[in-house]
Amino acid sequence: AQTVTQSQPEMSVQEAETVTLSCTYDTSESDYYLFWYKQPPSRQMILVIRQEAYKQQNATENRFSVNFQKAAKSFSLKISDSQLGDAAMYFCAYRREGGSEKLVFGKGTKLTVNP
Amino acid sequence: GAGVSQSPSNKVTEKGKDVELRCDPISGHTALYWYRQRLGQGLEFLIYFQGNSAPDKSGLPSDRFSAERTGESVSTLTIQRTQQEDSAVYLCASSLDTYGYTFGSGTRLTVV
């Protein structure tokens, strides 16, 4: 079974600085998708960024970018120019290609942004 | 609607009672998922509906849990004879394709 591991239960960053959240996963599949979701206190999961495993180029979305290392099964999220509104729980998630489309989540990293 | 709607937002129930949680997906989304999130934990997959196919129930933790979905519309998650360990936030999501998962704000269930 696929598993997703986030080794940092909590992280903090100063406003305007850069922070990197770690994620590793275990799978025997070659085609799959990876996601980072943000969960503010409102509880709603918000998609931050996604990556297709067949793409070598790292995904970027404005201040958010990933470092996808397929061989190492690593998928870290970099947040640049951190803002107070970035404070939330961040979850890494995996979905395999085909079959059931369920997402497998890590346990999350709580990000605090200090003014 | 514009988003995934879940009701109730919060539910407090006595141990042993049955509860029903409701999810209204985005219109036209063929896939619907239920997840459970215990305090301080990630999301645990419960069940997945895709169109008229048989649902994937592999994540349901016990036979006290069941879910239904009529066509591509509303889904209800039912928990019978609730236990304290059922206390959690129950999140619903719907999607039309590989990427477009949209989550609701969840139902916080507290069993006392």
Side-chain angles (χ1 to χ4, degrees), chain A residues 43-44 52 95 101 103, chain B residues 35 37 99 101 103 105-106:
Chain A
R43 302 196 304 240
Q44 189 165 16
E52 297 95 325
R95 175 199 173 281
E101 297 176 10
L103 292 169
Chain B
Y35 286 85
Q37 186 178 25
Y99 302 148
Y101 299 88
F103 282 83
S105 295

Side-chain angles (χ1 to χ4, degrees), chain B residues 18-22 34 46-49 55 57 59-69 75-81 90:
Chain B
D18 298 352
V19 294
E20 274 193 3
L21 312 181
R22 176 186 171 105
W34 283 98
L46 295 177
I47 189 168
Y48 157 60
F49 297 90
K57 303 180 181 181
L60 294 179
S62 77
D63 59 8
R64 296 187 296 105
F65 288 71
S66 63
E68 291 184 350
R69 186 184 188 196
S75 176
T76 56
L77 176 69
T78 301
I79 309 173
Q80 296 178 311
R81 305 181 302 281
Y90 290 82

Side-chain angles (χ1 to χ4, degrees), chain A residues 11-113:
Chain A
M11 291 283 284
S12 64
V13 62
Q14 291 296 124
E15 195 174 4
E17 297 293 309
T18 296
V19 65
T20 299
L21 308 184
S22 300
C23 173
T24 58
Y25 56 94
D26 185 24
T27 183
S28 58
E29 306 282 340
S30 58
D31 293 324
Y32 49 86
Y33 305 89
L34 297 165
F35 306 82
W36 278 98
Y37 279 87
K38 171 184 178 181
Q39 187 181 42
S42 67
R43 302 196 304 240
Q44 189 165 16
M45 301 288 281
I46 302 166
L47 178 64
V48 174
I49 199 165
R50 60 188 174 226
Q51 174 83 42
E52 297 95 325
Y54 65 85
K55 288 187 177 179
Q56 292 186 343
Q57 186 173 8
N58 289 323
T60 63
E61 287 287 343
N62 301 314
R63 296 183 296 107
F64 299 88
S65 61
V66 298
N67 183 4
F68 173 48
Q69 300 290 329
K70 190 172 184 179
K73 297 180 183 176
S74 171
F75 183 61
S76 61
L77 174 69
K78 186 171 81 171
I79 306 174
S80 303
D81 185 24
S82 297
Q83 300 176 359
L84 295 177
D86 295 334
M89 286 292 294
Y90 285 82
F91 292 93
C92 179
Y94 164 100
R95 175 199 173 281
R96 70 182 178 95
E97 174 70 48
S100 173
E101 297 176 10
K102 65 188 180 192
L103 292 169
V104 178
F105 287 87
K107 291 190 175 182
T109 296
K110 182 179 180 181
L111 179 66
T112 300
V113 181

